[in-house]
Amino acid sequence: MNKKMKILILSMSMSALLVTACSDKGKGQAQTDAENDGTGAVTIHTVTSEYSSAKYPKGDDITNNVWTRRYKEKLNINVKTDWVSDEYETKLNLAISSNELPDVFRVNPSQLRQLIEADMVMDLTEAFEQHASERLKSYMKADADSYESGKKDGKLYGIPQMHWGLIDQPDFIWIRNDWKEELKLQDPKSVEDIKNMALAFMEKHGGYGIAVDQSLDYLNLLAIAWNAHPDLWIEDGTGKLTYGSIQPEMKNALAEWAEWYKRGIIDPEFAIKDFNAMNADIVAGKVGIQPYYQWWGYNPGVDTVANLGKDAIFYPYLIPTVDGKEAKQSIFFANNNYIVMKKDAANPQAVIEILNDYAYIVDEGNGKEKPETLSALLDNDIAHVVGAFRVLNPNSDYEQFEAVSKALETKDTSGLTTSGMWQKYNNSVEFIKNATPGAVGDYLQQGAPKNAYGLAKKVLDSGNYTKTALWGVTPEALSSYGTTLDDILTEGFTKIIMGSENIDYFDVVVQNWRAAGGDTAIEAVNEAYGK
C-alpha cells in the first residue's frame, strides 16, 4: 500500500453489511427539511472530521462558521452537520453498516467501491454535467485519471476531491546549510557524496548522519537512488504488474543501508523512534541530513529555525543515484477522497453549487470578494471545515509556484491572482527580510534560492518519474490485508539494516510477503490495472 496515501480499510465483513443495509428509506432528509423550511432554503445533512488543533473565532465551531453562513447567505442552503468525530473513518464505517447516512459525505476509495457495489450512493453524472461550473469541470480535465476513478460503468458516483498537484510528490535529501558551508562541501551528486557528507558532519558535530524513523518511510525515499521504488506498483519487465518493494533493486539499497548503520550514519536508535522523535533530533541540532517530503519547512522547519536560528535552515536537493545521475522519482495516485450522496438524497444540484462556490473562492475570489471575507474563509485554522464540500485544483500548486517565482524575481505582483499565491509570496518576503520562523515553510517550498517546488517542477517538466500503475481504487483483495503485508516488509528490512539478519534474508522476507497474501494482491492488481 502507498505510504503517502494510506487509508483506513473496511473489514471483509463490511461488504455483507453493506448489502443487507441497502434499503429504501423513502424521501431523503434534505427534501424533508426543505419542505419544512419557511425560508425556502434547501437543507443538506453532512458529517465531518475534526482536528484537535483547529481554532475558531468566539462563538463559532465546525458546525457554525464563516463557511456555513456563506452557504445560507449566498446560496440559500442550510448545511447541517449530524456528527463530528476525530475518528471519522471508524464512525463513518458504522454509519454505513447501519445505513444511517447523511445526504452528502466524504469517503475513501475502498468505501466508494463498496458503496457502489451495495447500490447505496447516487449516480451524480447528470447533476455534475448540468450544474458544475466550467472551472470545476476543468479540474476533472486536469486529472482525468482521478476523475475516471470515481466512475463505474461510465457513471459518476464519487466526485474526486482531487489534490494540490503532482508537484508536491517528488522527494528530496534535506541538508543543514550552515554545516555544509562551514565545511565547504559541494552539492551531493551521488550516493557516495551523501555518505561522505554525513561522515563529515559526524566528525565535526558528533551525533549521527541521517535522521529516519521506525516506519522506514523516510529512509525509503532514498531507495530511488538504486532505482528501487518501494510502495509503487510497476511493470516487472514481462508486461505484468508487481510491487516495487520486493524487487532486486530494493535489496541493493538495503545492503548499503546496513553498511551505513554499522558506521553510525543511520540513527542507531531509529527502530524505536516515531515521527516526532525523529524530528526532535533535527530541532535539537543532533543531525544535519534528512530524507523528507517537500513540506520540510513546515515541520520540522519552523521549530528548527526558532530553536537554532536562521543559519541552521535545511535546503532540499534532488536525490542522486549511485552513478551520479538524477534519480527517477516515484509518483503515487494522488486522490484519496471522494464526495458521494446517498441514493435517496434530494438536491444534488445544491451540493454542486457549493462545490462551484468553493472553486470560485479559492481560484477567483481575490479581487472579487472583500479581503476580510476571503481571509476569514481561507484561514489556515478553519479551511478544513468545508469537509465534503470542496474540490481542489490539481494544477493549483504548479500555477501558484510559477506566479510566486515570477513575482519574487521581478517584484511585479500583478500576476498574483489568488489568496494562496499572495500567502506564499508574502511569507517568502517575510522570511527573506526578517527570518520569521513561521514563514519558513512557504519560503522553502517556493521562495528560497533552493526551494522544493523549483526542483519538483524540474522533475515534472522533464518527465523524470515513474507513476504507479495502481491509479485509482485499491482492489479489495489488496485492501483487505490492511497493513499486514507492509508490516512484514518493514520488520524484515529493519532486521537487515540493523544487522540481525544478513542481506540474503531479503529473499526470505519476500517469500513471507508472497505467502501472507502478496501473490493474491499481485493477481488482483493485475486483474484491475494490468494490460
Side-chain angles (χ1 to χ4, degrees):
M1 291 175 62
N2 177 347
K3 64 180 179 298
K4 296 180 180 176
M5 304 292 172
K6 286 181 179 175
I7 58 177
L8 183 62
I9 302 302
L10 294 172
S11 66
M12 290 291 285
S13 61
M14 184 65 73
S15 296
L17 287 169
L18 288 171
V19 175
T20 58
C22 184
S23 62
D24 182 6
K25 301 187 74 173
K27 208 182 303 182
Q29 184 66 49
Q31 185 175 345
T32 301
D33 288 337
E35 290 172 348
N36 296 330
D37 190 330
T39 67
V42 170
T43 299
I44 299 173
H45 286 253
T46 191
V47 294
T48 193
S49 55
E50 178 63 285
Y51 296 82
S52 60
S53 61
K55 299 174 183 176
Y56 299 91
K58 186 177 181 180
D60 283 7
D61 57 32
I62 199 166
T63 65
N64 175 32
N65 51 71
V66 291
W67 282 103
T68 59
R69 289 192 288 272
R70 180 179 179 85
Y71 301 150
K72 178 62 187 296
E73 294 165 6
K74 182 176 181 180
L75 304 174
N76 202 27
I77 299 172
N78 290 316
V79 172
K80 293 188 176 181
T81 303
D82 293 342
W83 54 258
V84 179
S85 176
D86 59 359
E87 296 184 356
Y88 177 83
E89 303 286 354
T90 300
K91 189 158 186 174
L92 181 61
N93 287 344
L94 295 174
I96 292 172
S97 67
S98 62
N99 199 21
E100 295 295 329
L101 298 176
D103 299 309
V104 57
F105 51 105
R106 168 180 58 82
V107 298
N108 64 41
S110 180
Q111 291 166 330
L112 173 65
R113 180 191 64 243
Q114 297 193 48
L115 285 166
I116 293 173
E117 291 174 353
D119 194 28
M120 293 177 68
V121 287
M122 183 185 299
D123 174 4
L124 297 171
T125 308
E126 184 176 349
F128 191 84
E129 285 299 319
Q130 290 185 2
H131 303 295
S133 65
E134 289 305 309
R135 175 168 289 280
L136 188 59
K137 289 178 179 177
S138 75
Y139 296 172
M140 303 302 146
K141 293 177 182 177
D143 187 355
D145 289 340
S146 288
Y147 182 47
E148 291 298 317
S149 75
K151 296 181 179 180
K152 184 177 182 181
D153 299 328
K155 296 179 181 180
L156 179 67
Y157 293 97
I159 301 172
Q161 289 199 295
M162 293 296 185
H163 46 87
W164 298 115
L166 297 184
I167 195 170
D168 73 359
Q169 289 212 33
D171 305 310
F172 310 99
I173 187 78
W174 291 79
I175 299 172
R176 181 166 167 170
N177 193 57
D178 56 349
W179 288 4
K180 178 174 175 288
E181 291 190 345
E182 173 190 30
L183 296 172
K184 297 181 171 56
L185 300 175
Q186 299 297 309
D187 296 354
K189 300 297 183 185
S190 68
V191 171
E192 188 74 8
D193 289 344
I194 294 175
K195 180 186 74 173
N196 290 334
M197 186 177 294
L199 292 170
F201 285 177
M202 292 164 62
E203 182 178 359
K204 179 69 175 180
H205 297 283
Y208 57 92
I210 298 177
V212 297
D213 76 344
Q214 62 193 191
S215 73
L216 297 186
D217 285 351
Y218 297 88
L219 184 55
N220 278 342
L221 300 183
L222 294 180
I224 59 174
W226 289 266
N227 198 32
H229 294 277
D231 304 309
L232 208 71
W233 287 91
I234 58 177
E235 289 192 13
D236 65 1
T238 69
K240 296 289 187 179
L241 302 180
T242 190
Y243 200 45
S245 299
I246 64 171
Q247 301 310 298
E249 291 83 0
M250 193 67 199
K251 186 175 184 179
N252 296 334
L254 288 166
E256 182 71 14
W257 295 342
E259 289 300 315
W260 288 3
Y261 183 83
K262 286 180 183 178
R263 301 188 67 175
I265 294 174
I266 291 177
D267 180 2
E269 298 180 341
F270 83 91
I272 60 172
K273 285 185 177 176
D274 61 10
F275 171 83
N276 291 325
M278 169 185 70
N279 281 347
D281 282 356
I282 296 288
V283 175
K286 295 181 179 179
V287 59
I289 299 176
Q290 187 175 28
Y292 211 81
Y293 309 124
Q294 51 84 13
W295 45 272
W296 186 95
Y298 303 95
N299 183 15
V302 171
D303 289 340
T304 300
V305 172
N307 189 50
L308 302 175
K310 65 178 182 178
D311 293 337
I313 195 171
F314 284 49
Y315 284 120
Y317 298 84
L318 285 174
I319 297 170
T321 63
V322 290
D323 56 6
K325 299 177 181 178
E326 291 176 3
K328 187 180 289 290
Q329 293 276 345
S330 299
I331 300 293
F332 294 87
F333 178 58
N335 182 73
N336 200 39
N337 291 293
Y338 299 83
I339 302 157
V340 299
M341 294 190 70
K342 69 176 180 179
K343 190 168 185 180
D344 64 344
N347 302 304
Q349 176 181 348
V351 173
I352 305 301
E353 288 175 354
I354 292 177
L355 298 180
N356 289 341
D357 188 56
Y358 182 86
Y360 156 77
I361 283 291
V362 172
D363 281 343
E364 300 180 58
N366 192 62
K368 297 180 181 181
E369 296 283 328
K370 294 179 180 179
E372 59 270 24
T373 299
L374 203 61
S375 176
L377 289 168
L378 299 178
D379 182 276
N380 286 336
D381 280 329
I382 61 171
H384 69 278
V385 304
V386 291
F389 299 109
R390 77 172 185 179
V391 174
L392 303 176
N393 175 4
N395 285 331
S396 63
D397 272 16
Y398 190 98
E399 295 168 354
Q400 182 184 87
F401 171 68
E402 290 189 316
V404 171
S405 296
K406 184 175 181 181
L408 289 170
E409 181 181 353
T410 65
K411 311 303 180 185
D412 177 5
T413 59
S414 61
L416 303 178
T417 58
T418 71
S419 58
M421 291 177 183
W422 276 105
Q423 174 192 313
K424 302 294 182 181
Y425 174 82
N426 287 334
N427 278 342
S428 294
V429 172
E430 175 65 22
F431 190 83
I432 292 169
K433 289 183 176 179
N434 302 314
T436 303
V440 72
D442 290 340
Y443 171 74
L444 283 175
Q445 186 191 68
Q446 302 195 22
K450 294 185 178 76
N451 62 76
Y453 272 10
L455 296 175
K457 182 178 184 297
K458 179 181 178 182
V459 170
L460 296 186
D461 290 350
S462 66
N464 192 30
Y465 56 84
T466 297
K467 288 175 67 174
T468 184
L470 202 164
W471 204 263
V473 178
T474 303
E476 186 173 359
L478 171 58
S479 64
S480 65
Y481 291 107
T483 63
T484 299
L485 293 176
D486 285 338
D487 290 345
I488 290 172
L489 298 180
T490 300
E491 181 181 351
F493 292 173
T494 298
K495 290 179 179 178
I496 293 172
I497 294 167
M498 297 183 71
S500 60
E501 297 284 354
N502 64 35
I503 191 59
D504 290 331
Y505 185 65
F506 176 83
D507 302 319
V508 176
V509 175
V510 171
Q511 184 58 40
N512 291 341
W513 182 88
R514 288 183 177 277
D519 281 341
T520 302
I522 289 175
E523 291 176 8
V525 171
N526 273 278
E527 182 177 349
Y529 293 97
K531 296 178 181 179

